[in-house]
Amino acid sequence: MADQTIKINLSESKKQKPQSDQLGFGKIFTDHMFMMDYIEGKGWHDPRIVPFQPLSLDPAAIIFHYGQTVFEGLKAYVTKAGEVHLFRPEKNMQRLNRSSDRLCMPQLDEEFALEALKQLIIIDKDWIPSAPGTSLYIRPFIIATEPYLGVTASKHYQFLIILSPVGSYYKEGIHPVKILVENEYVRAVTGGTGTAKTAGNYAASLKAQEVAEEKGYSQVLWLDGIEKKYIEEVGSMNVFFKINGEIVTPALNGSILEGVTRNSIIQLLKHWNLPVVERKISMDEIYQAYKNGQLEEAFGTGTAAIISPIGEFIWHGEELVINNGKTGELSKKLYDTLTGIQYGTEPDPFGWVVKVQ
Ligand SMILES: *Cc1c(COP(=O)(O)O)cnc(C)c1O
């Protein structure tokens, strides 16, 4: 597989590139995409880079009916010197395979998938925006394409990579958000698909998100699906708390998505000799810490925002304002350090950056 050559069919016309202040998130796509097919018995074949275009799929394709699909999300950053950086992309390819395994989908050769990704980025390199905080969002995904209405794993798949130039998540600087603690809906349960990046989890989360937005909150805090007591994630991010000097994040329990950002933050905190623990955290405990004046910071973590400080929780009608609704010192330091490593302005002691060119 790894020595398969990727066929390249360049687009004849190039699209107009957007101004950096009109980027937003995930609305604009580059000139090319990568695709490759899978058939049971034959394996992955026909890797190719082609002009960005609609797909033609049978209406009976399994993806449409039973949601057999997985995805990833990572970014490419251009440095001041014009180098293109990826951040721990091998972690995303490993996770894509773990997600696929959960959904009974075929494994990819991770090195080959990364090589395909690099070739695609080089071809569409001019699309990587360079204004501060902007980047190229990368969306690899696999869909089940066999036309069959039986409930079973597909025998045919397609692996695709699309690229989208994205604006700075924090145009007006990093700022805290208000979070509704979700007591009715749940995102995932142990034994379910919460650890996989698969479409159904996100479809299932929309209702709670919509209700929270109507009430003026930007995201929900997800509690565990069984007792609705323990904290799992915030929106589609992992979550951290700083309580009386200690940094705490929910332990991976079989329903939490294991974020690359989460893992990087744990490593950074250890590197700084700060106390960090992964364990169960109940909402009661957070409430008590708040009441005792020990809830110092809270923040979400993920590729899109890197760090999203939480300024306030609302829980059973009560408002818990954290750090006066301002970005905490640790949140800011983590944000600056991680983005600094990604854009090549800070040292990279862990060798996380992978240069594309
Ligand atoms: C993608 C994702 C995250 C964050 O993962 P990163 O690898 O840090 O981007 C967290 N939770 C959910 C539910 C996710 O889908």
Side-chain angles (χ1 to χ4, degrees):
M1 178 77 250
D3 50 44
Q4 274 210 43
T5 44
I6 299 172
K7 251 189 284 156
I8 295 173
N9 170 15
L10 293 182
S11 164
E12 275 165 23
S13 60
K14 299 273 184 279
K15 291 185 275 196
Q16 177 109 35
K17 294 186 183 62
Q19 300 289 319
S20 71
D21 59 347
Q22 288 165 356
L23 287 169
F25 181 83
K27 292 181 296 192
I28 298 162
F29 297 92
T30 66
D31 287 317
H32 299 90
M33 64 190 201
F34 172 82
M35 60 199 299
M36 159 163 94
D37 303 314
Y38 178 93
I39 296 178
E40 197 176 277
K42 184 173 180 188
W44 289 108
H45 59 276
D46 200 12
R48 55 207 187 271
I49 290 172
V50 295
F52 189 92
Q53 60 192 279
L55 301 176
S56 172
L57 293 178
D58 194 295
I62 287 177
I63 169 65
F64 296 134
H65 306 276
Y66 308 123
Q68 205 192 4
T69 179
V70 295
F71 71 91
E72 266 307 322
L74 66 161
K75 285 172 170 177
Y77 308 85
V78 69
T79 67
K80 282 213 179 79
E83 282 178 344
V84 177
H85 284 180
L86 295 170
F87 183 74
R88 310 186 75 188
E90 68 286 350
K91 297 287 265 182
N92 296 90
M93 296 309 174
Q94 289 161 7
R95 188 170 62 191
L96 188 63
N97 269 342
R98 288 203 305 275
S99 297
S100 287
D101 181 60
R102 180 63 183 81
L103 276 283
C104 298
M105 297 167 68
Q107 298 287 293
L108 282 168
D109 179 322
E110 290 164 17
E111 271 177 43
F112 180 76
L114 189 52
E115 179 56 32
L117 169 57
K118 288 180 181 172
Q119 286 199 28
L120 178 64
I121 290 174
I122 289 168
I123 286 173
D124 279 344
K125 183 171 182 273
D126 292 348
W127 280 89
I128 311 177
S130 58
T134 63
S135 57
L136 186 71
Y137 186 78
I138 302 161
R139 171 54 60 88
F141 62 109
I142 306 175
I143 53 175
T145 52
E146 186 186 0
Y148 181 46
L149 295 185
V151 180
T152 182
S154 178
K155 293 187 176 67
H156 306 171
Y157 298 90
Q158 240 169 19
F159 171 51
L160 298 104
I161 307 174
I162 55 175
L163 306 174
S164 172
V166 296
S168 174
Y169 197 88
Y170 295 111
K171 275 202 203 83
E172 286 111 41
I174 180 169
H175 61 86
V177 292
K178 290 187 182 181
I179 300 294
L180 178 69
V181 181
E182 178 56 57
N183 290 307
E184 186 183 354
Y185 300 107
V186 298
R187 190 192 85 90
V189 286
T190 305
T193 56
T195 57
K197 263 183 132 64
T198 185
N201 296 338
Y202 305 85
S205 74
L206 297 176
K207 191 74 186 175
Q209 174 67 27
E210 225 175 74
V211 173
E213 273 173 30
E214 276 164 19
K215 293 183 179 164
Y217 294 88
S218 67
Q219 301 276 340
V220 299
L221 186 76
W222 297 110
L223 301 181
D224 79 275
I226 296 165
E227 297 178 73
K228 293 192 188 149
K229 200 171 150 186
Y230 297 100
I231 294 167
E232 301 229 315
E233 303 202 43
V234 59
S236 47
M237 287 180 284
N238 295 117
V239 66
F240 285 75
F241 301 90
K242 184 165 171 252
I243 305 170
N244 198 21
E246 186 179 63
I247 301 105
V248 194
T249 190
L252 301 174
N253 60 353
S255 54
I256 292 171
L257 195 288
E258 184 177 357
V260 177
T261 319
R262 176 187 182 278
N263 176 283
S264 307
I265 284 170
I266 293 171
Q267 286 196 50
L268 265 181
L269 292 170
K270 287 182 177 163
H271 183 67
W272 292 339
N273 287 317
L274 292 176
V276 52
V277 285
E278 298 172 66
R279 61 168 171 83
K280 272 187 153 183
I281 316 161
S282 67
M283 194 54 212
D284 281 314
E285 180 188 341
I286 292 300
Y287 184 73
Q288 279 313 317
Y290 168 76
K291 282 288 175 196
N292 299 339
Q294 295 185 328
L295 180 58
E296 294 160 357
E297 296 187 34
F299 52 92
T301 72
T303 296
I306 309 301
I307 301 284
S308 178
I310 297 168
E312 182 180 323
F313 287 114
I314 184 138
W315 190 44
H316 296 307
E318 194 168 341
E319 288 171 0
L320 286 58
V321 178
I322 303 164
N323 195 38
N324 294 318
K326 297 209 174 68
T327 299
E329 230 171 84
L330 181 68
S331 307
K332 181 79 171 72
K333 184 173 172 193
L334 283 167
Y335 178 80
D336 289 344
T337 307
L338 272 176
T339 54
I341 293 172
Q342 289 161 343
Y343 288 94
T345 58
E346 288 277 332
D348 174 21
F350 303 98
W352 281 338
V353 164
V354 171
K355 286 179 188 161
V356 173
Q357 237 189 353

